[in-house]
Structures are given as structure tokens and as C-alpha cells.
């Protein structure tokens, strides 16, 4: 076969964004292969069918501002939109949407099908092609198939009045084993590497229900010298809505009107409107002291406590119900949100009771909650343990340090969540394409985006549990709001080839709207003062400012007014944060040559040498954030870098990072 430019392995949220970003950045003539075990599950929401939340919502907005897929699919498939922390400052608000999981996956597949450069392949990868220390392709065992989009499914899904069907459901004939060559490979295995699912003492191979396990990739990565770890995550039981006393439970409503994730106008969505689907409510219930006693009495049957699971740790910030009962022994109840998974099925997700206890114990837990005395369990909760690659072995570009041309993204890097995976996928796909085009790699800064914070955290800190993004991780969070993601990143996305003309036009229209609002606030007066001064007052709602503008004969969109008012109120803080960023900019831009030997740095402490060898930071800024490296160590490293540069590369030394 003719070679590809980029091959992406895995059709989850990381793989989708990697394929899309690579195709965008490659431009005309580019070829991207997306290889996945089951193309009908591309874009599947394996756990909670929700997108966004605190800090996660900001990342989805950033992915969208850079031309990604996730925000568009969410706007099409969302069935309950809600901005969390709305009563607090804009810097910590997080947009979230409960989605119809079938429409979400179908819309992701539809979007991918619009890009001819992306070729979908049904199959598994059993080996990488490696030549001269570079990854140059993959090997596919016999039976792989080329996949084509089903035009009938696309047409049916556009109607949005029925359950969506997979778009990639038309595989071709099985083909013999083959070697597919590419300039770069992106590996996004999710929870499938040597994956095992556990419910009580029952174990099943697979990364999610109904799918298999990628067994060979772990051994392949180990043989290449990568250091692997093992992590655990889990999911709760699903219930039949008809068996729940739904109307007796406390309702949880979304925002009215809902706020979209994507900056693209509704006309660009499959449904040609926002929201694309009817909106619903969730319900709330809770565990009880009796349920907690039941769990404590059965801890010996939980795989994490019985020793059945090998994984080092699970997600501390999204723990199983067993973990919550043990760690928060003083609590006699935990909230549980009952969230519909689709408008067209009876499935309800039990948000808050992830568990791997035996089925009979899960049944008692569920039926002990208010409103669920006769609840029917459609699918039992389970834990899944899987292999991952410790992320100190990648650069902030997602490229591995050991094998050039190989990029890792998503849960393989020790992260959790759809949003974290999508962000890494975009970074990996972009940089894979830039390697193909022989263009310098891109590292997004901590001051530019939550995506930059995440990538920097991954390569400077060894995670103790699956990494999850929080607003508290970002020291510049006043700059990194959900509402200004377009201003921060869309011009950069255009420069990098990720942002198309339609998105750019929409961005420029919003910028012009905000400029008109700001000019109007300066021109309009209230009580003899410019209205701008009133807009700065934190006790004055933005809606009152909009009303004052209308009274002055100036009409502007509410979102434009909201954004301008927020900018005015954060202005002083932003000026101080930007000054701080400028002070640290020199270190962030100062690369550390790969050939610099830590043992040759005079005066450097042993702990600092070990940290440099393990993490191999790309810049002095990254080095300063490593545990074990002090400010004095950074000064010594900086001196060594200057001397190394003055003397030039040693014979046979590796080149500096691109």
C-alpha cells in the first residue's frame, strides 16, 4: 500500500482528535489512517455520557478553539447543558453537558467522514515498524478491513428524531497481513492495553463491555525499553428508567437557555440548530448508612481490596463507592445522580456509585437508594485495570523520547477522562503532522491553556493516580477562562493550520461584536460617568449593563456584553499575571540540549542529576518544576547550557530538541 503520513491507533476521544488535527495540519494531499478494533465504537462514551465540568469544560472549549471535534459533537448530542460554579467568578466556571451517547458517537463519526484524508481501518496492531531508532509504521495481522461511511446512517442521524446508528458500519473484505508505513504514529490505546474487567471475582478480558483487549502492544512497548505501569478505573451500574420512581426524586435541571461548547454557529451542526436534541432533567438520590454497612461487610469481595487487581492505584478524584465508604468513614450518605444515557433508550447512569462489587451486592446497593427499591439493573458496574506508559517518557509534544516518530495520547499516558484524552490527542496529531512536514514541534504553554498545564504536569510529575484536570492546577487560571478560549487559541490554531475559514470568520465576528460593546460602554454615560465604570462593579449583573446599553439605544448580544464585562472586572488581575508570565518567560523558552550530560554539570546535587536523567526536561522552566530540583540547581543547569552552547555539540551528540 502507498504510505500514509500519520497513522493513529485507537478510535477513542484521543484518537479522534489526533486524526482530525493531523489531517487539518497536513493540509491538501495528506493521508491519515485511523486504526481501531471496532469502527462502530469510534467516539463511544464508555463511562458517563457527559462532556466537560470544572476545568474539563475549559479544556473542551480549548480543543474547540483549536478546531477540534469534541465541542461540535457535544452541541449536537447534548441533552442537558449546565455551567457549573455559575455563582462564582468566570475563571472557575465549567461548562458541562449530559449527552445522548449514541448521537454523540454517531456525530463524531459523521464529522470524521467529512474529511477524505482520514481513512478508517478495522483491525488491531500487533507490532510497530522501527528503523534506525524511529517509528516508521505498523504491522496489521490478517483480517483487517478498510471501512467506509454508511451514507444511509448519516442521513438518518441528521433527522435527530430517532436513535442514531453508527456511521462507520460498512467494512470491506478481510485483507492479508500487511505493513503500513508512515512518517509518524500516534498510539491511543485508552484502557485496552492488557485490559481486564472485574465484577466481584469474575474477570473478563477487555477494556470495556463487549470489546477485547490489546494484549500484544504492552509486550511490544516493553521490548522497546518503555517503562510501563498499571492503573485502574471503573464504572457504575446502569438502571432501567421505567423501574425507577423517577417523579418522586429531586429533579436536576439544566440551564435555560443552554450555553453551547462550540464557537461555530449552529448552522455548522448536523442538526442546523442548537441544541441539537430535546433537553431533559436528571434526578438525585443518595446512599444510606445501611448501604455503607453492606459495603463494609463485603469489602473482602471487592477486587481492589481482595488483591485480585494488580493496578498500583485508581482515580483518587473519581473513587469507587468502596473507596468512598472506607476513606470517608464519617459520611453516612453520598449523593448519586441518575442521568439518562439517551433519549431513545431506557438506560440510566448512576453517577456516584462506581463499583466492582459482586452483582448481588450491587443489586442491594441500588435497591437501598430512595426511588430505586424496584430498580432493574441493565448492566453491572465493573473495574478495569490496564497498562500505561509512565509519562516522563514523553515530551510535552506527546512524542516519546525513546522512539522518534511515536506519539502517545490519552489514558496510555496515565490520565483519566474524555476531555484530557481529547486534548492530548489534538497535541499529538498536530505534532505528528508537523514532523511529517519537517516543521518545528509545538508546545503549548502553561499560560496559554489548560492543555499546556496538563502536558507540562505529565512530563514533570510522575502521577500517583490517573491524572485529572482541576482549576487549582493552573497558576494562571484567571487568564484561562472557558469564555476566552477563542481569544487565546483560535489565532494560534489558524497559524498552525487547525482552524478553517468558517471558524475564523465566526471568531472575527465575535471580536468585532466585543469591540463595539466596549466602544459603546465608553460612549454611553449613566449618572454623568461612562457606563464602563459601572460595568466594572462586581455587584452589578451583566444583564443590568446590557439593559443600560439598550436604554441608550445600543443593542448588543448578551454573550458579547457578558464577555466584555468579565474582561473589565479581571483587567487588573490579568495585568499582574501577564507581568509574572513575562518574568518567567526566559526560562520557559530556554531549551536544554538532549546531549547535555547531567553528570558533567559541576556542583549539581545527586537528586537533581537523577531527576534530569529520568524526566529529561525540554526547557529550564520544566526543569524548575521537577521534584528534586531546587532554584540553585536550575542556576547551575543554566550555566552548563550556556557553556554547552558556546562549545557547540560534542562529536556524535544528539541534536537539541526541535
Amino acid at each position: 500500500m502507498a504510505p500514509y503520513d500519520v497513522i493513529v491507533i485507537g478510535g477513542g476521544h484521543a484518537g479522534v482528535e489526533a486524526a482530525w488535527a493531523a489531517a487539518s495540519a497536513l493540509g491538501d494531499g495528506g493521508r491519515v489512517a485511523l486504526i481501531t478494533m471496532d469502527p462502530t465504537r469510534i467516539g463511544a462514551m464508555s463511562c458517563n455520557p457527559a462532556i466537560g465540568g470544572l476545568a474539563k469544560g475549559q479544556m473542551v472549549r480549548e480543543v474547540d478553539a483549536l478546531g477540534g471535534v469534541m465541542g461540535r459533537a457535544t452541541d449536537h448530542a447534548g441533552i442537558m447543558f449546565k455551567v457549573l460554579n455559575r455563582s462564582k467568578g468566570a475563571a472557575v466556571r465549567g461548562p458541562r453537558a449530559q449527552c445522548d451517547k449514541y448521537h454523540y458517537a454517531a456525530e463524531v463519526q459523521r464529522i470524521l467522514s467529512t474529511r477524505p484524508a482520514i481513512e478508517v481501518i478495522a483491525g488491531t496492531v500487533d507490532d510497530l515498524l522501527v528503523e534506525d531508532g524511529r517509528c516508521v509504521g505498523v504491522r496489521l495481522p490478517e483480517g483487517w478491513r478498510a471501512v467506509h461511511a454508511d451514507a444511509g446512517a448519516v442521513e438518518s442521524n441528521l433527522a435527530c428524531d430517532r436513535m442514531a446508528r453508527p456511521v462507520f458500519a460498512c467494512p470491506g473484505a478481510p485483507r492479508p497481513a500487511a505493513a503500513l508505513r508512515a512518517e509518524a504514529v500516534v498510539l491511543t490505546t485508552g484502557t485496552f492495553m492488557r485490559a481486564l474487567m472485574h465484577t466481584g471475582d469474575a474477570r473478563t478480558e477487555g477494556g470495556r463491555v463487549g470489546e477485547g483487549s490489546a494484549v500484544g502492544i504492552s509486550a511490544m512497548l516493553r521490548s522497546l525499553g518503555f517503562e510501563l505501569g498499571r492503573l485502574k478505573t471503573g464504572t457504575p451500574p446502569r438502571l432501567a428508567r421505567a423501574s425507577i420512581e423517577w417523579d418522586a426524586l429531586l429533579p436536576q435541571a439544566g440551564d435555560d437557555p443552554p450555553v453551547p461548547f462550540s464557537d461555530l454557529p449552529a448552522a455548522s451542526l448536523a442538526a442546523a440548530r442548537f441544541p441539537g436534541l430535546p433537553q431533559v432533567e436528571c434526578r438525585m438520590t443518595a446512599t444510606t448508612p445501611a448501604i455503607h454497612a453492606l459495603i463494609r461487610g463485603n469489602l473482602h469481595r471487592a477486587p481492589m481490596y481482595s488483591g485480585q487487581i494488580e493496578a498500583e492505584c485508581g482515580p483518587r478524584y473519581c473513587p469507587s463507592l468502596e473507596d468512598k465508604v472506607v476513606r470517608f468513614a464519617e459520611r453516612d450518605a453520598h449523593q448519586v445522580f441518575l442521568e439518562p444515557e439517551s433519549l431513545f433508550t431506557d438506560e440510566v447512569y448512576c453517577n456516584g456509585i462506581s463499583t466492582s462489587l459482586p452483582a448481588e451486592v450491587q443489586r442491594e446497593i441500588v435497591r437501598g437508594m430512595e426511588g430505586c427499591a424496584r430498580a432493574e439493573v441493565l448492566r453491572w458496574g465493573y473495574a478495569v485495570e490496564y497498562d500505561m506508559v509512565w509519562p516522563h517518557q514523553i515530551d510535552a509534544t506527546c512524542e516519546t523520547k525513546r522512539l522518534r516518530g511515536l506519539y502517545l495520547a490519552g489514558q496510555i499516558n496515565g490520565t483519566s477522562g474524555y476531555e484530557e484524552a481529547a486534548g492530548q490527542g489534538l497535541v499529538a496529531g498536530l505534532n505528528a503532522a508537523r514532523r511529517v512536514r519537517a516543521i518545528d514541534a509545538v508546545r503549548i504553554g502553561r499560560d496559554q491553556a489548560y492543555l499546556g498545564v496538563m502536558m507540562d504536569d505529565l512530563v514533570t510529575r510522575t502521577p500517583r493516580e490517573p491524572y485529572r484536570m482541576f482549576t487549582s492546577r493552573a497558576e494562571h487560571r484567571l487568564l484561562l477562562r472557558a469564555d476566552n478560549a477563542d481569544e487565546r487559541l483560535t489565532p494560534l490554531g489558524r497559524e498552525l493550520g487547525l482552524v478553517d475559514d468558517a471558524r475564523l470568520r465566526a471568531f472575527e465576528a465575535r471580536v468585532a461584536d466585543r469591540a463595539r460593546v466596549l466602544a459603546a460602554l465608553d460612549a454611553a454615560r449613566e449618572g454623568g460617568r461612562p457606563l464602563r465604570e459601572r460595568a466594572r462593579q462586581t455587584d452589578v449583573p451583566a444583564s443590568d449593563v446590557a439593559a443600560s446599553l439598550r436604554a441608550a439605544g445600543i443593542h448588543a448580544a448578551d454573550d458579547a456584553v457578558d464577555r466584555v464585562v468579565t474582561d473589565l472586572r479581571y483587567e487588573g488581575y490579568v495585568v499582574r499575571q501577564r507581568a509574572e508570565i513575562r518574568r518567567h518567560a526566559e526560562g520557559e523558552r530556554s531549551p536544554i540540549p538532549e546531549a547535555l550530560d547531567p553528570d558533567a554539570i559541576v556542583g549539581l546535587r545527586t537528586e537533581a542529576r537523577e531527576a534530569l536523567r529520568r524526566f529529561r526536561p525540554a526547557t529550564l522552566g520544566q526543569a524548575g518544576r521537577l521534584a528534586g530540583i531546587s532554584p540553585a540547581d536550575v542556576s547551575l543547569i543554566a550555566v552548563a547550557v550556556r557553556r554547552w552552547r558556546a562549545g557547540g555539540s560534542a562529536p556524535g551528540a544528539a541534536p537539541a530538541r526541535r
Side-chain angles (χ1 to χ4, degrees), residues 2 33 45 116 151 161 166 175 292 304 311 330 385 399 447 568 600 629:
M45 307 180 94
D161 60 355
R175 301 191 184 185
H292 293 194
M304 276 296 288
E330 73 283 1
E385 58 173 325
E399 187 174 25
D447 60 310
L568 289 172
I629 293 186

Side-chain angles (χ1 to χ4, degrees), residues 395-430:
D395 183 67
T397 62
C398 286
E399 187 174 25
T400 65
K401 298 170 182 176
R402 181 172 293 277
L403 189 61
R404 289 306 184 206
L406 176 63
Y407 297 77
L408 308 182
Q411 287 177 285
I412 192 173
N413 287 332
T415 59
S416 69
Y418 307 147
E419 303 83 1
E420 290 87 348
Q424 293 170 72
L426 186 148
V427 171
L430 166 64

